[in-house]
Amino acid sequence: MLRSSKETKELFNQWATSYDEDLEHASGPLYGYQESLDLAKEIFPVKKGAKLLDIGIGTGAFANLLRLKDTEVWGIDLSEAMIEQCQVKHPDFHLKVGTFIDPNVDETFDYVVSSFCFHEVNPEEREKALRVTHQLLKTHGKLLILDIMFASNRAVEEGRQSIGKYWDSSEDYSIIGELDEKLRKVGFQGIRFIQTGPYHWGVVAEKR
């Protein structure tokens, strides 16, 4: 049974203080976490003077990895505790409590990014989440979603067997073809998927 948003919020509020340390030795579906972040940086260079929004910013590690010295970083997260941790680590970030569905920002951005958060969106609301994200981007703005994803339903089953007891049945991971269709439906173009880890993919798309 999938987690509710309330349960997800409670989970990350409890996890906030140890999140970065725990992910240094990520296992299960998150195995290869840091390597995926590093590769995502290579495929998603940020231009100087850009304005970037990180959805599900957590403690800010991904946004901090991507940004340049003059990048204006905004971040939203469901968890107040994560926002507090992020503000301590990155006092220059503009942070608010928000989600893919209700971002709580009245701005537009050159870049919208998200790492290991999109799977927390209820499957029935993912098209809406992508539509909201499209609206947050300026014309020619770019999106990067880095997450646990699978190429097919068969790949999901193989992943479930490989991960074994560390598989989290309370989460639902995107199938690439289905995500690709939703991205195109809401208006994204130039879509490309890149596998970044055993169970991780990044998708880059543009608003034109």
Side-chain angles (χ1 to χ4, degrees), residues 17-202:
T17 55
S18 64
Y19 186 80
D20 288 341
E21 182 179 353
D22 290 346
L23 288 181
E24 289 178 3
H25 309 286
S27 60
L30 285 169
Y31 177 75
Y33 170 84
Q34 187 59 53
E35 291 82 356
S36 284
L37 295 189
D38 291 339
L39 184 53
K41 178 184 179 180
E42 297 303 315
I43 64 175
F44 197 78
V46 171
K47 294 181 179 179
K48 291 182 178 180
K51 189 173 179 181
L52 179 147
L53 172 67
D54 188 337
I55 301 177
I57 194 169
T59 59
F62 190 45
N64 189 53
L65 185 67
L66 291 175
R67 69 166 171 169
L68 303 176
K69 289 182 179 180
D70 62 352
T71 305
E72 183 180 334
V73 177
W74 290 63
I76 58 173
D77 202 283
L78 178 69
S79 162
E80 296 94 337
M82 285 288 191
I83 290 292
E84 290 172 4
Q85 289 289 321
C86 187
Q87 197 74 81
V88 170
K89 292 174 182 287
H90 308 289
D92 59 321
F93 285 9
H94 305 274
L95 302 174
K96 291 187 175 184
V97 174
T99 67
F100 267 102
I101 299 297
D102 183 14
N104 191 29
V105 291
D106 188 20
E107 305 281 339
T108 55
F109 300 89
D110 301 293
Y111 302 102
V112 174
V113 303
S114 182
S115 63
F116 300 98
C117 175
F118 190 72
H119 67 271
E120 303 290 358
V121 179
N122 186 298
E124 295 180 356
E125 293 187 309
R126 287 177 184 170
E127 184 179 318
K128 180 180 179 181
L130 293 172
R131 194 176 303 280
V132 171
T133 304
H134 190 268
Q135 293 168 352
L136 289 169
L137 282 166
K138 299 175 182 179
T139 302
H140 303 300
K142 292 185 178 180
L143 168 69
L144 168 63
I145 295 176
L146 177 66
D147 203 2
I148 302 161
M149 304 185 202
F150 292 89
S152 64
N153 288 318
R154 183 182 292 273
V156 173
E157 290 307 312
E158 290 178 357
R160 189 196 309 271
Q161 293 176 16
S162 177
I163 291 168
K165 67 178 182 178
Y166 295 107
W167 182 266
D168 188 348
S169 60
S170 71
E171 296 185 333
D172 179 274
Y173 306 119
S174 294
I175 303 297
I176 286 172
E178 296 173 2
L179 180 55
D180 179 80
E181 184 174 348
K182 289 180 174 65
L183 286 163
R184 295 178 191 279
K185 186 175 180 180
V186 304
F188 281 105
Q189 298 183 43
I191 300 164
R192 57 192 179 103
F193 286 84
I194 303 95
Q195 188 163 13
T196 62
Y199 315 111
H200 307 160
W201 291 74

